[in-house]
Amino acid sequence: MDTNQAALDYARAYVASRKDTETRCDAIELDLFTPNYNTGILAALTLDFFDPVEITTNQPGGSILNQTLQVFGVSHRVTPNSWKTTFTTLEPIIDGFILNSSLYGVLDTSVLAY
């Protein structure tokens, strides 16, 4: 942010991206000591900040919530008998084009349709 206007633009984009949040998934915890959980271990070692993740949760009453979020934080807790990885998730700040992304790299969809 080189100017006050740039800072204001970022602040407005951030507020706009958070104003309509309804049900949130603030974090995902993976128990990597689970037997035969290669998918979880691969995710824990390869996901990075701003990577998109698709979250499906079963809500009370039987409804299902599907959200596309981004990783905004990663923490690992490793002991001799456990390995837990927690990903902090948030809604994307701004939709945009991400190379090689099956979600944010598809032309004629979402914000790329204009």
Side-chain angles (χ1 to χ4, degrees):
M1 291 184 247
D2 295 328
T3 65
N4 287 345
Q5 186 59 49
L8 181 60
D9 291 343
Y10 279 113
R12 285 182 176 155
Y14 187 81
V15 169
S17 72
R18 302 289 185 262
K19 71 180 182 71
D20 293 326
T21 300
E22 294 174 9
T23 304
R24 293 191 315 230
C25 173
D26 295 328
I28 312 163
E29 183 174 272
L30 305 177
D31 183 353
L32 302 177
F33 239 55
T34 303
N36 302 314
Y37 193 33
N38 293 335
T39 304
I41 294 170
L42 185 62
L45 297 175
T46 59
L47 281 175
D48 203 355
F49 289 88
F50 305 111
D51 281 349
V53 291
E54 300 223 12
I55 308 295
T56 301
T57 56
N58 296 317
Q59 301 295 307
S63 64
I64 296 175
L65 177 65
N66 294 306
Q67 292 179 301
T68 300
L69 305 172
Q70 284 182 324
V71 174
F72 275 79
V74 180
S75 68
H76 298 275
R77 289 182 317 281
V78 181
T79 68
N81 296 316
S82 71
W83 176 11
K84 296 196 178 189
T85 298
T86 302
F87 293 102
T88 303
T89 58
L90 292 170
E91 292 182 11
I93 294 175
I94 299 175
D95 282 336
F97 184 75
I98 301 174
L99 288 175
N100 299 323
S101 169
S102 61
L103 186 61
Y104 294 108
V106 181
L107 294 175
D108 299 323
T109 63
S110 185
V111 296
L112 302 176
Y114 302 103

